């Protein structure tokens, strides 16, 4: 694994990262690691995440109606 040092982060970013880490019971380092890993997920990981959320919740009626409208407009 590689090591990353980030210098000159704005104080407000550090404070928000620290607060988010504390609320999740993580260290700031672990929270930063998770944020970066989430941000740079592969397309396959994103699609798997979307699929699992759809299975659990499904699309809203509003989303389905908007898709129908788009389909009608394209005609």
């Amino acid at each position: 694994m590689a090591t990353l040092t980030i210098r000159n982060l704005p104080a407000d970013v550090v404070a928000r990262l620290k607060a988010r880490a504390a609320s999740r019971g993580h260290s700031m380092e672990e929270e930063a690691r998770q944020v970066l890993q989430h941000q740079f997920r592969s397309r396959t990981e994103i699609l798997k995440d979307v699929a699992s959320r759809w299975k659990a919740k499904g699309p809203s009626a509003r989303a389905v109606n908007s898709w129908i409208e788009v389909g009608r407009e394209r005609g």
Side-chain angles (χ1 to χ4, degrees):
M1 290 227 180
T3 300
L4 173 67
T5 301
I6 303 174
R7 292 181 179 85
N8 301 319
L9 278 174
D12 66 311
V13 172
V14 174
R16 286 182 296 179
L17 183 62
K18 192 178 283 191
R20 182 172 162 162
S23 73
R24 295 173 182 221
H26 300 159
S27 66
M28 272 186 33
E29 180 181 349
E30 176 60 24
E31 189 64 27
R33 187 179 303 113
Q34 287 187 10
V35 167
L36 288 168
Q37 287 173 338
H38 179 77
Q39 182 64 35
F40 293 102
R41 294 177 297 163
S42 70
R43 186 174 197 276
T44 302
E45 291 169 324
I46 293 168
L47 291 174
K48 283 180 183 178
D49 185 39
V50 169
S52 68
R53 289 178 188 209
W54 269 51
K55 281 182 182 177
K57 187 177 180 184
S60 67
R62 174 184 261 170
V64 172
N65 286 335
S66 71
W67 298 336
I68 291 169
E69 283 301 314
V70 169
R72 287 180 180 150
E73 290 170 4
R74 291 183 182 170

